[in-house]
Amino acid sequence: MAITGKWRVLYRQGTGFWRMTAKWAVVFGALYLLDGGLLRSWGDALVWPMIGILLWAPFGIGVVWYPKKDQRVELTTRELRVRRKRLPMEKVNLLHVARLWLEGRSTADDQPVSEWIRFDRLVWVPLHDGRAFGVEFRDPAAFAKVFGAFAVEACGGPDIVRAKAATQTYPDPRPIRPRPASADGGSWPDLLDIFN
């Protein structure tokens, strides 16, 4: 694989918490200024910030309590980082990713990208040992496009990918499923055990 040594950020997904908070403040701040400056008194217009806080609170609590829903993800030329965990590109089967991308697919379950549903947030990342783990995205098709193009480039281009795919054999990726909980309750299922 001809992976460049230069560190390039190919894809970055933040939690969306501060962006959503800023939009919320702008909308209800504008309502406050409009209502207080044109329609009613400033004291009466205070109801808009209060409504904004009451409506924003469930979103803020949800992001804090369920970080995987909009987790921080970063793809560089060296690694895939999910929250604080990192997966080096040397462990990823980039040839499989590139081959599927050239065929219009991008996941270990062979689902065509064009048929992805917006609610399907999970993207499977195949590894050399035959396993594949899932990562959640707000826009999985956007990540698949970047990851597939990177894999084709890292493998030397479309022609080389097709030639290698015709000669090389590797196990079909098996999605890693959550671990069954033990009798005493055990730990929460962790799809990212491969990072450790």
Side-chain angles (χ1 to χ4, degrees), residues 172-192:
D172 289 331
R174 317 181 305 275
I176 300 174
R177 301 300 179 187
R179 295 171 300 185
S182 59
D184 60 351
S187 61
W188 289 92
D190 187 7
L191 290 178
L192 302 178

Side-chain angles (χ1 to χ4, degrees), residues 63-124:
V63 170
V64 172
W65 283 358
Y66 184 39
K68 282 192 67 178
K69 183 176 182 181
D70 278 327
Q71 61 192 354
R72 186 177 302 279
V73 178
E74 185 175 274
L75 172 66
T76 68
T77 52
R78 294 185 185 177
E79 65 187 11
L80 173 63
R81 183 182 303 176
V82 180
R83 296 194 298 276
R84 295 182 180 178
K85 303 194 176 190
R86 303 177 179 184
L87 175 65
M89 280 296 117
E90 290 78 18
K91 292 185 177 181
V92 179
N93 189 347
L94 289 177
L95 178 61
H96 184 71
V97 175
R99 180 179 65 84
L100 289 180
W101 179 250
L102 292 177
E103 296 174 0
R105 299 176 287 141
S106 184
T107 61
D109 55 7
D110 291 339
Q111 184 180 11
V113 178
S114 59
E115 296 179 7
W116 279 7
I117 303 172
R118 180 72 179 185
F119 297 107
D120 292 339
R121 292 171 169 255
L122 203 64
V123 175
W124 293 101

Side-chain angles (χ1 to χ4, degrees), residues 43-65:
D44 293 335
L46 282 174
V47 69
W48 289 113
M50 297 305 299
I51 291 174
I53 291 172
L54 290 175
L55 293 176
W56 171 89
F59 171 80
I61 293 171
V63 170
V64 172
W65 283 358

